[in-house]
Amino acid sequence: MMITGKSYIGRELSGKGNVHYRTFNSNEEKENHWNIVEVVREEIDSALIKAKQAFLSLGKITEEGRSKFLREIANQLDEHRDELYEVYMAESSLTRSRAEAELNRTINQLELFAAHIASDSYPETVRHSGVNDLKKTYLPLGPIAVFGSSNFPFAYSTIGGDSASALAAGCPVIVKAHPMHAGTGELVAKYVLIAAEKTGMPDGIFSNLNIRSHDLGAYLVQHPEVKGVGFTGSLTGGRALFELAQKREVPIPFFAEMGSLNPVCIHPSALLNADLIQNWAKAFARSISDGAGQFCTKPGLLFAIKGSALESFKMLLTEELERCGHHSMLHPELYNGFMNKLTEASQAGGNQVRMFEQNTSASSVPSFLLSCTSEQFLSNKDLRHEMFGPAAIVVECQDLTDMNNAIAVLDGQLTGTMLYSDTIDPGLRIIFETIKERVGRVIVNGVPTGVEVCEAMHHGGPYPATTDARFTAVGTNAIRRWLRPIVYQNVPEELLPDELK
Amino acid sequence: MMITGKSYIGRELSGKGNVHYRTFNSNEEKENHWNIVEVVREEIDSALIKAKQAFLSLGKITEEGRSKFLREIANQLDEHRDELYEVYMAESSLTRSRAEAELNRTINQLELFAAHIASDSYPETVRHSGVNDLKKTYLPLGPIAVFGSSNFPFAYSTIGGDSASALAAGCPVIVKAHPMHAGTGELVAKYVLIAAEKTGMPDGIFSNLNIRSHDLGAYLVQHPEVKGVGFTGSLTGGRALFELAQKREVPIPFFAEMGSLNPVCIHPSALLNADLIQNWAKAFARSISDGAGQFCTKPGLLFAIKGSALESFKMLLTEELERCGHHSMLHPELYNGFMNKLTEASQAGGNQVRMFEQNTSASSVPSFLLSCTSEQFLSNKDLRHEMFGPAAIVVECQDLTDMNNAIAVLDGQLTGTMLYSDTIDPGLRIIFETIKERVGRVIVNGVPTGVEVCEAMHHGGPYPATTDARFTAVGTNAIRRWLRPIVYQNVPEELLPDELK
C-alpha cells in the first residue's frame, strides 16, 4: 500500500502545495504515517482545464463506452480489496466487515449506473410530430465537483454515488477528497484512473484533489468551469457552499445532503406486550449504534407516549445499547462534535436514561439514550440538533395529539418512521400525514438505517435534509441531478444523437 | 367589464393599500380608467395563511378533482372571451387575433395539464420488492408564487403555464399580478375563482395580488409559507429575486425564465439563390416583428458570412420588415427600454441597415435591422444584450470558423437556429455542436418563435435563459418544478395514496 499524499490532476500525480496534514487512526489513537499535501489554486485550475477538455471529448463517447468505464472501475476495486480495506480501516476505524459491505455497495452502485445508461430506455426520450418534428433527449451539465462524506469513504466519497452518477451522465468529476480519509481517496482514485485509461476515457474525466481549507473548497465551487456540485456533509458547510454556488456569475445546481434527525413515532400499540417491546428495543439499539451512529439515517428522535410500557422500552433499549458495546468513531473531531451536541442536549433537559460514562474517547464511545418531555422538546432547539454518533433522544408525549404537535415543529428530514401493531386509528393517521409532509422516505414498522440502492429509492427530503427536495442522492434517479433536457426541432438525422435516430 | 382594481385574497376582494396605479393603452396613448390598488404586507400574509390551509385540504382532493377544476377554468375563459379580449387589448395594445390565439393557447394548456394529471401514468410511480417493499410517488411542494410575464397576459401570467402546472401538481398559487395588465389579471382571476367554487376547491387555492414595488415582490418571495416560485421576466429582476429565494432560512426552488438572444446561424448554402434569400427574409421578418418582437424566442442575432448574398438578404429582410409595418408596444416603459438597448447597440458599432426613423413612439414602432462585424461583436458586450422589441443584429463573419468563435461567446439561450440547404459540411457540424451546448432547443431551417405546448417541448436552457437548465416552463414536464419524490417503505395499503394502492 503506497500513499503518496499527492492529488490526481487527471492522470497526473501532483503535490505543489506546502500545507500538509495526516489522517487519524481512532482505533489505535495515532496519526497515520502518510503525509497528505493540500493542493494550491493552480492545481485546481489545471484539473478544471483538463475536465473541460475531457467534457468535449466525452461527447464522442457512447453510453456503452461510459458503461464499460464504470464496470472497469468496479473490477479494479474488486481486484484490490485487501489493499483498499487496509487503508480504509486505518483511516475510518470501521471494521473489516463494514469495509466489505461498503465496498460491495460501491461496486453495486457502479454496476447499477452502468446498466442504467446501457439500457434502451436511457436517456428518456420523447418525440412529437405536429407543426414541427420535435425530439427531446438529455445532455450532461459539464464538470461536476464532488464533496465526499466523512462516513462512507467508499460508497459516498471518491467514487461513491455522486461520482458514479455524474460519470454515468457523461460529466467529468473533480473530487474534493475528504481530509479524514485522504489516503483511501488517493488509492480509490488510482484505480478509477487505471480503469479510465483501460477503457479509453479522456484525461481529465476524473481528478482527486486534496483539499482541507474552506477557502480552497469555496474556490472550487466558484470555479467558472464547474457546472454542478454534489455535497454530502454538515448543514453549516453545505449551506455556506450552496450560497456561494448561487451567488456565482452563473449559478449552478448544488445538491447537498446535510443530515437528518430521522424521527420515529411509536404508537402505544407497538409497545403493547413484552415481546414487542423486546423486538423494537433490539432493532433500534442496532440502528442507533451501528457504524457508531455515524449514518445520515440514524434514528435520533423516538417519540412515544409516557407510561409503564415506555419505561420498559427505555430500560430494554439501554440494555441492548450496552450490549452493542463501545465503538471507535471515525475521527477525534467527529467525536468532539458529537460529545458537544450530547452535552447541549443534556443541558437542554435531555435526561440520561442511565448515567453517562465519564471516560470515553474517540476510540471507545458507548451509546447514549436521553429522554425529555414533549414540552422541553418544543421549547428548546438544542434537542432538535443532529447528534452524529451513537445517541438518541426519547421524547415523552402525553398522547398522540401531543406527539403530533411535537413532530410538527421538525424541519425537513431524510426519513420518518412509524411503529404500530394493531389497526390504524385516526391519531396515527394524522401523525402519518405530519411525517409525510416532512420527509423523503416514510418507513412503517422498521428502522430507517439501510438504504437500498434501486430505482424506487428516494434518498433526499425537504431542507435542511437536502438543498433541493426534488432530487435524490441514491438510486438511478440520482443521475437526473446532472442532466438537462434539450429539444431538436426539425433536425436532420445526421446531426441527431444516436438515441434519437 | 368591471375592474375593481382590488386583489383577490383567495375568494375575497381586498384593497387595503393606499398606493394606486393605472395600466396604459399604448395604441390610444392614454391611461386606462381603472385604478389599481397595490396590496399591503398584511394582505400578502392573509393570502398565504389561506394558501397554507388550502394546501392541507388539497391533500384530500384527487387528481380527478383538480383536473375538473382546470377544465372548468378553461370553460370559464372560453365563455367570457369578448370581455377578456377587451381588457387584454386595452392593456397590451396587441391585436384581437393575437388575443384569440393566446387565449386558445391558455385554454389548451389548462386542458393539457388536466389530461396529464387525470391519466393513469400520472404521477410516475416506481415499485420495488427487495429487502423491503418500496413504493415511490410524488408530492406537491406547497404554495407557489407566480410572477407573470409582461408579454403574455393570458398564456404566461395569471393562469398561464406556471399557474396551471402548479395547480395541476396540487399546489395553491399566489399570483403577483403584472402591473402592466393588472385589469386583465383581475378579470382572469375572477373566472379562476368562479371555477374553483364550482368544482369545490378550497378557499385560498388561488390568490391574485396587485404588486408593483420591488419591496413587496421581495416580501412575497421571502415569505416562509411560499414553497416555490415561477418567474417570467427580466434578468435583473429574476436574478435579484432568485438570490433572495436562496438566502431564505429555508431556500426554495425558484425557476425564472429571463430572456434570450436566440442566435441564428446562417450557412452560406441557405442563401445560395434568390428564392432561398427571399424565403428566409420573409420568414425572419415575421419572426422578428410579430408581437412587436416582444417574444422570449424572437431571433435577435443573425450570424452570416459576409458577401453579396448576405447584402441581398439584408436588403430584402429590411424591405420585408418595412412591409410588416409599425407596431404598438405593450407599454411605454418597454418601449423606452427597447429604444435604449437599440441606441447602446448602435453606439457599440451596430450599423443601421437603413436609417432609423426619427419619430417613433410606443404606439408606432417600426422594425430595426442592425449589422456589425464579428470583431465588433466579440469586443463589445452591448451587442449581446437582449433588445425586447422588433429588432435584430446581423453579425457579419469572415467564414464558418469565425462564426463559430462568435457564437461561442454567447451565454445560455432558450433557442439556437441553424439554416442551411445542402449537405452538412464539417464547419456546419462544429457550429451545431457549439449551439447545442448553449441552448434548450435547436431549430434547423425554421424560426425560433412559436413554441408548441406538448410533452416533447423543452422551453428552458442554461443560465441566464433560466435559473435552472434542468426544468422547463412549457409542456407537461413543467409540472416537475413543483413536485418532490417520496418513498413509502413497508407502508400498509390503508395509508397509501390511491396511485400506489
Side-chain angles (χ1 to χ4, degrees):
Chain A
M1 180 177 77
M2 233 304 272
I3 307 295
T4 68
K6 294 184 179 178
S7 294
Y8 280 105
I9 312 299
R11 282 174 201 146
E12 185 194 348
L13 269 175
S14 176
K16 295 187 177 163
N18 49 28
V19 175
H20 296 81
Y21 48 94
R22 283 168 186 267
T23 57
F24 196 85
N25 187 324
S26 292
N27 263 340
E28 300 182 5
E29 297 186 338
K30 61 163 199 195
E31 284 188 330
N32 289 305
H33 63 79
W34 43 90
N35 209 15
I36 308 299
V37 192
E38 188 167 45
V39 292
V40 291
R41 289 187 174 201
E42 182 198 332
E43 288 169 300
I44 298 180
D45 293 341
S46 302
L48 265 308
I49 288 169
K50 282 194 176 185
K52 189 186 179 177
Q53 281 304 322
F55 184 57
L56 294 175
S57 311
L58 269 167
K60 283 158 211 123
I61 293 173
T62 60
E63 267 85 36
E64 211 181 294
R66 298 203 306 277
S67 185
K68 275 187 192 156
F69 171 39
L70 296 174
R71 288 206 172 95
E72 184 55 33
I73 301 173
N75 285 343
Q76 290 292 328
L77 299 180
D78 189 42
E79 278 174 25
H80 298 89
R81 285 179 177 264
D82 287 335
E83 193 186 352
L84 288 163
Y85 294 162
E86 194 184 332
V87 61
Y88 173 102
M89 291 188 289
E91 293 190 323
S92 71
S93 298
L94 294 165
T95 62
R96 188 177 168 98
S97 67
R98 161 68 190 269
E100 270 175 37
E102 196 183 323
L103 194 64
N104 287 340
R105 181 189 170 130
T106 311
I107 287 170
N108 289 344
Q109 282 179 162
L110 287 160
E111 282 167 354
L112 181 78
F113 283 112
H116 181 59
I117 61 170
S119 89
D120 287 342
S121 58
Y122 179 87
E124 194 192 341
T125 61
V126 190
R127 289 144 201 268
H128 176 80
S129 271
V131 182
N132 293 294
D133 173 67
L134 299 170
K135 295 190 175 80
K136 182 160 65 174
T137 184
Y138 289 83
L139 290 180
L141 294 181
I144 302 299
V146 170
F147 285 64
S149 73
S150 63
N151 60 339
F152 279 100
F154 291 146
Y156 276 86
S157 189
T158 324
I159 193 65
D162 285 351
S163 297
S165 59
L167 291 171
C171 299
V173 164
I174 303 94
V175 174
K176 182 249 172 217
H178 201 288
M180 291 181 187
H181 55 252
T184 312
E186 183 191 326
L187 202 60
V188 170
K190 180 176 129 185
Y191 293 119
V192 171
L193 290 164
I194 288 174
E197 193 134 23
K198 272 193 147 180
T199 53
M201 293 295 125
D203 188 20
I205 192 173
F206 187 84
S207 289
N208 183 61
L209 308 180
N210 288 320
I211 291 179
R212 194 179 57 168
S213 78
H214 293 326
D215 272 6
L216 288 173
Y219 183 75
L220 178 59
V221 165
Q222 292 172 301
H223 200 289
E225 295 304 337
V226 169
K227 305 301 182 192
V229 182
F231 171 97
T232 316
S234 73
L235 176 56
T236 319
R239 174 74 196 228
L241 291 173
F242 168 74
E243 288 192 13
L244 290 180
Q246 307 314 315
K247 267 192 265 178
R248 289 166 50 121
E249 191 185 331
V250 175
I252 52 173
F254 184 98
F255 183 85
E257 193 223 294
M258 301 178 293
S260 179
L261 300 166
N262 305 299
V264 179
C265 295
I266 308 174
H267 187 265
S269 64
L271 306 177
L272 210 60
N273 61 49
D275 283 353
L276 286 171
I277 292 172
Q278 181 71 55
N279 176 31
W280 289 127
K282 276 197 176 163
F284 277 87
R286 290 210 49 183
S287 189
I288 292 165
S289 66
D290 270 4
Q294 301 160 125
F295 286 129
C296 50
T297 54
K298 181 210 70 178
L301 293 172
L302 310 171
F303 296 87
I305 311 295
K306 65 174 166 189
S308 58
L310 179 56
E311 288 308 310
S312 306
F313 174 68
K314 278 159 57 183
M315 280 306 129
L316 271 172
L317 179 54
T318 317
E319 281 168 24
E320 292 293 339
L321 284 169
E322 279 171 1
R323 204 161 289 160
C324 293
H326 284 53
H327 315 271
S328 282
M329 289 192 69
L330 290 161
H331 195 274
E333 266 181 44
L334 294 177
Y335 167 76
N336 292 335
F338 170 60
M339 293 309 284
N340 287 341
K341 292 287 178 204
L342 196 65
T343 307
E344 278 171 25
S346 278
Q347 285 164 351
N351 281 311
Q352 309 155 35
V353 173
R354 293 212 183 164
M355 277 307 287
F356 288 158
E357 293 186 37
Q358 296 300 310
N359 296 314
T360 69
S361 70
S363 65
S364 178
V365 193
S367 300
F368 299 98
L369 191 70
L370 306 183
S371 78
C372 69
T373 65
S374 55
E375 266 186 344
Q376 289 169 319
F377 181 78
L378 285 169
S379 63
N380 204 315
K381 285 194 174 181
D382 282 344
L383 293 162
R384 290 178 239 156
H385 290 154
E386 186 180 17
M387 297 186 286
F388 197 67
I393 303 175
V394 176
V395 182
E396 304 196 359
C397 307
Q398 301 294 331
D399 51 32
L400 291 180
T401 306
D402 187 35
M403 188 188 291
N404 192 55
N405 294 338
I407 57 172
V409 302
L410 291 174
D411 296 324
Q413 306 290 335
L414 293 170
T415 73
T417 301
M418 204 172 80
L419 309 180
Y420 81 107
S421 80
D422 57 5
T423 53
I424 294 160
D425 60 32
L428 194 68
R429 197 175 278 276
I430 289 169
I431 284 172
F432 182 79
E433 292 300 318
T434 307
I435 294 176
K436 207 181 79 177
E437 286 308 320
R438 281 157 185 77
V439 308
R441 180 164 56 108
V442 195
I443 299 111
V444 171
N445 289 336
V447 296
T449 43
V451 183
E452 273 182 83
V453 182
C454 61
E455 197 198 340
M457 181 46 72
H458 180 66
H459 187 66
Y463 186 91
T466 74
T467 45
D468 194 338
R470 298 170 299 174
F471 293 96
T472 178
V474 175
T476 42
N477 281 352
I479 199 172
R480 293 192 182 172
R481 294 175 295 173
W482 323 121
L483 292 170
R484 67 176 180 91
I486 185 166
V487 173
Y488 295 90
Q489 181 171 319
N490 304 332
V491 171
E493 186 95 354
E494 260 186 277
L495 292 171
L496 290 174
D498 287 345
E499 68 268 22
L500 293 179
K501 276 178 184 165
Chain B
M1 180 176 77
M2 234 303 271
I3 307 295
T4 68
K6 294 184 179 179
S7 294
Y8 279 104
I9 312 298
R11 280 174 202 146
E12 187 194 346
L13 268 175
S14 177
K16 294 186 179 164
N18 49 29
V19 175
H20 297 80
Y21 48 94
R22 284 171 186 264
T23 57
F24 196 85
N25 187 324
S26 293
N27 264 339
E28 300 182 4
E29 297 186 335
K30 61 165 199 193
E31 285 189 329
N32 289 304
H33 64 80
W34 42 90
N35 208 14
I36 308 299
V37 192
E38 188 167 44
V39 294
V40 292
R41 289 188 173 201
E42 182 198 332
E43 289 169 300
I44 298 180
D45 293 342
S46 302
L48 265 307
I49 289 168
K50 282 195 175 182
K52 189 186 180 176
Q53 282 303 320
F55 183 58
L56 294 174
S57 311
L58 270 167
K60 284 159 211 121
I61 293 173
T62 59
E63 267 84 36
E64 211 182 293
R66 298 204 306 279
S67 186
K68 275 187 191 155
F69 172 39
L70 296 174
R71 288 208 172 93
E72 184 56 32
I73 301 172
N75 285 343
Q76 290 292 327
L77 299 180
D78 188 41
E79 276 174 25
H80 298 89
R81 284 179 178 264
D82 287 337
E83 195 185 348
L84 289 163
Y85 294 162
E86 193 184 335
V87 62
Y88 173 101
M89 290 188 289
E91 293 189 323
S92 70
S93 298
L94 294 166
T95 62
R96 189 179 168 99
S97 67
R98 160 68 190 268
E100 271 176 36
E102 196 183 323
L103 195 65
N104 287 342
R105 180 188 170 131
T106 311
I107 288 170
N108 288 345
Q109 282 180 161
L110 287 160
E111 282 167 355
L112 181 79
F113 284 112
H116 181 61
I117 61 172
S119 88
D120 286 342
S121 57
Y122 180 87
E124 191 193 345
T125 60
V126 190
R127 290 144 200 268
H128 175 82
S129 270
V131 182
N132 292 293
D133 173 66
L134 299 171
K135 294 191 175 80
K136 182 161 65 174
T137 184
Y138 288 83
L139 289 179
L141 295 180
I144 302 299
V146 171
F147 285 63
S149 73
S150 63
N151 60 339
F152 279 100
F154 290 147
Y156 275 84
S157 188
T158 324
I159 194 64
D162 285 351
S163 297
S165 59
L167 291 170
C171 299
V173 164
I174 304 95
V175 174
K176 181 250 174 216
H178 201 287
M180 291 180 188
H181 54 252
T184 312
E186 184 191 327
L187 202 61
V188 170
K190 181 177 130 187
Y191 294 119
V192 171
L193 290 163
I194 289 173
E197 192 133 25
K198 272 194 146 178
T199 53
M201 292 297 123
D203 189 18
I205 192 172
F206 188 85
S207 288
N208 182 59
L209 308 180
N210 288 321
I211 291 179
R212 194 179 56 166
S213 79
H214 293 325
D215 273 7
L216 288 172
Y219 184 76
L220 178 59
V221 166
Q222 292 172 300
H223 200 290
E225 296 304 338
V226 170
K227 304 300 182 193
V229 181
F231 172 97
T232 315
S234 72
L235 175 56
T236 319
R239 174 74 196 228
L241 292 171
F242 168 75
E243 287 192 13
L244 290 179
Q246 307 314 315
K247 269 193 263 177
R248 290 165 50 121
E249 191 184 333
V250 175
I252 52 173
F254 184 97
F255 183 85
E257 193 223 294
M258 301 178 293
S260 180
L261 300 167
N262 305 299
V264 179
C265 295
I266 308 175
H267 187 265
S269 63
L271 305 178
L272 210 59
N273 60 50
D275 282 354
L276 287 170
I277 292 172
Q278 181 71 54
N279 175 32
W280 289 125
K282 274 196 180 168
F284 277 88
R286 291 207 51 181
S287 189
I288 292 164
S289 66
D290 270 4
Q294 299 160 125
F295 286 129
C296 50
T297 54
K298 181 210 72 178
L301 293 173
L302 310 173
F303 296 87
I305 310 295
K306 66 173 165 189
S308 59
L310 179 56
E311 287 309 311
S312 306
F313 176 68
K314 277 158 59 184
M315 280 306 128
L316 271 173
L317 180 54
T318 317
E319 279 169 26
E320 291 293 338
L321 284 169
E322 277 171 3
R323 205 161 288 162
C324 293
H326 283 53
H327 315 272
S328 283
M329 289 193 68
L330 290 160
H331 196 275
E333 267 181 44
L334 294 178
Y335 166 75
N336 292 334
F338 170 60
M339 293 308 285
N340 288 340
K341 293 286 179 205
L342 196 64
T343 307
E344 278 171 25
S346 278
Q347 286 164 350
N351 281 309
Q352 309 155 36
V353 174
R354 293 213 184 165
M355 278 307 286
F356 289 159
E357 294 187 37
Q358 297 301 311
N359 295 313
T360 68
S361 70
S363 66
S364 177
V365 194
S367 300
F368 298 98
L369 191 69
L370 306 182
S371 77
C372 70
T373 66
S374 55
E375 266 187 345
Q376 288 170 322
F377 181 78
L378 285 168
S379 63
N380 205 315
K381 285 194 176 180
D382 282 344
L383 293 163
R384 290 177 241 158
H385 290 153
E386 187 180 16
M387 296 186 286
F388 198 65
I393 303 176
V394 176
V395 183
E396 304 194 1
C397 306
Q398 300 295 331
D399 51 31
L400 291 180
T401 308
D402 187 37
M403 189 189 291
N404 192 55
N405 293 339
I407 57 173
V409 302
L410 291 174
D411 296 325
Q413 307 290 334
L414 292 171
T415 73
T417 300
M418 203 172 80
L419 310 181
Y420 80 107
S421 79
D422 54 7
T423 54
I424 295 161
D425 60 33
L428 193 69
R429 196 175 280 276
I430 289 169
I431 285 172
F432 182 80
E433 293 300 318
T434 308
I435 295 176
K436 207 181 80 177
E437 286 308 319
R438 282 156 185 77
V439 308
R441 180 163 55 107
V442 195
I443 299 111
V444 170
N445 288 337
V447 296
T449 44
V451 183
E452 272 182 86
V453 182
C454 62
E455 197 197 342
M457 181 46 72
H458 179 66
H459 188 66
Y463 186 90
T466 74
T467 45
D468 194 337
R470 298 170 300 174
F471 293 96
T472 178
V474 175
T476 41
N477 281 353
I479 199 173
R480 293 192 183 171
R481 294 174 295 173
W482 323 122
L483 293 168
R484 68 176 179 93
I486 184 166
V487 172
Y488 296 90
Q489 180 171 321
N490 303 331
V491 171
E493 186 96 355
E494 260 187 277
L495 291 172
L496 289 175
D498 288 344
E499 69 268 20
L500 293 180
K501 275 179 183 162

